[in-house]
Amino acid sequence: MTDHSGYALVKDAMVIVEDDRIAWAGPRETAPDNIGLSKGFYSDTETFDCGGRLITPGLIDCHTHLVYAGNRAGEFEQRLEGASYADIAKRGGGIMSTVSAVRKASVDSLVEQSAPRLARLISEGVTTVEIKSGYGLDSDNEIKMLKAARQLGDEYGVRVRTTFLGAHALPPEYANRPDDYIDHVINEMLPRAHDLGLVDAVDAFCENIAFTAAQVERVFEAAAKFSIPLKCHAEQLSDMGGAVMAARHRALSADHLEYLNPDDVPILAKAGTVAVLLPGAFYFLRETKLPPLDALRKFEVPIAVASDCNPGSSPLTSLLLTMNMACTLFRMTPAEALAGVTVNAARALGLADQIGTLQAGRIADLVIWNVDEPAELSMNIGLNPCAAVMTGGHWRSSSAARFTNDFLPVPGSGHP
Ligand code: NIG
Ligand code: FE
């Protein structure tokens, strides 16, 4: 007997959508008959029989760097010959090599180069994607990246949240002057990007190859003046105290966390800061230190899971494979992995009142799957059982037609 308790699964369910919102969701036999009265109940309503298939909220990839130019295949080869990710960064490769490629690219070229990555995520039922800047490292180039991210969202009909990651690495112009660069981020880059309405959140890379907690804190204080929500790359390669500092600033999320001290977990719990785990980077960098899962569970820190799609540490464009990695590498349960790409990912973006669950009032983003059990979403490696996707109350007909061929929702006859 399969245990479905962790999924809040409803058997023989019905979802009623009105305009762009879920009007009701629950067991079909208890569906109210007065929903949609404002429109004349069911008179202009189509009914779709999904044939008993699993319906989940649209998936949310809450941490990506998917807008970039070029590739770092050469570094992949160097690492296979023994160089570490940190060695390559210290030699001026790593993030800086992508910065050089991004600075040469136009917005259109960034859109064109990034589109296949976004399309691949979308094909697996992703309806919301967070995209960070961080490969421009000056005002014009960071703004260019954020514009490309927004343009991708418009072109692909997917909700894109843009995060300003100016404090990702030290650009060559500021070599050995990290505090001066932080001044520039605070006084020039962030205000300009914010003025253009391009910043949904601010992130920073707190790491021994990037910035100290004190430097990141200055960026957070500047963001707070604009009331911009915060996120932090923390404790990926070493324990720099970034997650605790982020929690003290009530950050939405602290991300990576392999080196987070379990004793610090209660501080995240108290702040409501989501732990975003990125098993793709753990896998690709062959990390061996596991994030403190038991402590995160014990103190009920919400755990999200994301692809971290980027050219250096996680060239991963599958959220289903990410869920599989969360289970196989981190020993998360399939139910935790699904919550990690839905309800908890929504929290990590500050959107928990809009998306991430199938409940009345939420935006009607949902996915219909060709699976018998919800655990299949995390179990399979490479299979895409996404049958159809609805975004904001509209069937994403192009994605269903383009990416799947065995099921399209068919209007049924009459109402239930
Ligand atoms: O999340 N950790 C910092 N940033 C990215 C990697 C970026 C890169 O190597 O290009 C990450 O792993
Ligand atoms: Fe990242």
Side-chain angles (χ1 to χ4, degrees):
M1 179 73 195
T2 309
D3 175 17
H4 286 134
S5 51
Y7 298 100
L9 197 68
V10 176
K11 288 258 177 209
D12 197 18
M14 186 163 121
V15 179
I16 302 176
V17 172
E18 196 180 13
D19 300 326
D20 66 334
R21 300 275 157 173
I22 295 171
W24 187 88
R28 179 206 301 266
E29 59 186 23
T30 67
D33 57 7
N34 58 352
I35 292 274
L37 265 184
S38 57
K39 291 275 170 70
F41 181 52
Y42 290 137
S43 59
D44 62 351
T45 301
E46 285 179 300
T47 310
F48 297 94
D49 182 353
C50 298
R53 288 175 173 81
L54 176 71
I55 306 182
T56 69
L59 304 191
I60 301 165
D61 195 347
C62 69
H63 179 140
T64 87
H65 310 249
L66 78 77
V67 167
Y68 61 81
N71 79 80
R72 309 229 296 265
E75 291 176 14
F76 176 52
E77 292 179 321
Q78 286 170 36
R79 284 198 301 105
L80 287 168
E81 281 158 20
S84 75
Y85 180 71
D87 292 339
I88 293 168
K90 282 178 199 144
R91 290 204 291 262
I95 292 172
M96 287 320 303
S97 95
T98 302
V99 170
S100 308
V102 164
R103 286 181 172 182
K104 287 186 203 118
S106 63
V107 173
D108 286 345
S109 165
L110 284 178
V111 167
E112 195 187 311
Q113 295 188 58
S114 307
R117 297 186 275 274
L118 181 62
R120 182 68 185 85
L121 286 172
I122 287 175
S123 72
E124 291 184 347
V126 168
T127 51
T128 301
V129 190
E130 185 255 20
I131 303 177
K132 300 174 197 294
S133 65
Y135 295 121
L137 307 185
D138 64 30
S139 293
D140 290 348
N141 286 298
E142 289 289 299
I143 286 167
K144 182 172 76 183
M145 288 189 73
L146 295 168
K147 282 186 176 162
R150 290 277 175 91
Q151 192 174 318
L152 280 163
D154 293 343
E155 285 180 17
Y156 279 78
V158 66
R159 187 169 299 99
V160 165
R161 302 292 285 183
T162 44
T163 298
F164 172 80
L165 178 57
H168 192 197
L170 192 61
E173 308 83 84
Y174 284 88
N176 303 315
R177 294 188 293 130
D179 291 306
D180 291 351
Y181 180 60
I182 295 291
D183 285 343
H184 184 61
V185 168
I186 292 170
N187 297 324
E188 156 83 23
M189 292 164 63
L190 176 60
R192 272 192 60 196
H194 173 68
D195 271 358
L196 294 169
L198 291 168
V199 181
D200 295 321
V202 163
D203 193 347
F205 190 16
C206 186
E207 191 50 71
N208 54 29
I209 55 167
F211 299 98
T212 64
Q215 287 162 340
V216 171
E217 183 159 35
R218 293 182 54 219
V219 177
F220 284 2
E221 281 161 0
K225 289 199 188 115
F226 297 120
S227 306
I228 304 171
L230 307 172
K231 306 172 81 65
C232 190
H233 280 73
E235 276 69 84
Q236 179 186 9
L237 310 169
S238 62
D239 185 356
M240 301 273 292
V244 166
M245 184 279 296
R248 271 199 282 107
H249 286 269
R250 303 242 166 248
L252 288 175
S253 70
D255 304 40
H256 285 287
L257 303 181
E258 282 86 341
Y259 286 80
L260 176 65
N261 186 333
D263 294 343
D264 289 337
V265 168
I267 300 170
L268 270 68
K270 200 156 170 245
T273 297
V274 177
V276 178
L277 303 186
L278 306 168
F282 177 94
Y283 164 83
F284 196 64
L285 298 183
R286 302 185 73 225
E287 179 58 68
T288 51
K289 183 146 170 47
L290 288 161
L293 243 298
D294 289 342
L296 293 171
R297 286 187 181 116
K298 179 171 168 206
F299 292 96
E300 297 180 1
V301 173
I303 302 170
V305 172
S307 71
D308 195 15
C309 172
N310 76 67
S313 67
S314 187
L316 172 59
T317 49
S318 166
L319 204 50
L320 294 179
L321 180 53
T322 305
M323 292 164 71
N324 175 274
M325 289 177 174
C327 297
T328 52
L329 299 174
F330 294 167
R331 312 314 287 168
M332 287 174 67
T333 67
E336 286 174 326
L338 184 56
V341 297
T342 53
V343 58
N344 290 339
R347 290 179 73 163
L349 296 179
L351 295 176
D353 58 347
Q354 299 288 312
I355 54 173
T357 57
L358 297 180
Q359 115 187 53
R362 298 291 191 272
I363 293 172
D365 285 359
L366 47 93
V367 188
I368 300 169
W369 301 97
N370 285 325
V371 296
D372 295 322
E373 302 284 340
E376 287 178 63
L377 298 180
S378 293
M379 182 190 75
N380 290 304
I381 302 176
L383 184 74
N384 181 6
C386 175
V389 178
M390 176 179 277
T391 329
H394 296 287
W395 292 112
R396 185 193 276 156
S397 54
S398 57
S399 78
R402 206 171 342 134
F403 300 115
T404 70
N405 49 22
D406 56 347
F407 172 71
L408 277 173
V410 181
S413 53
H415 56 78

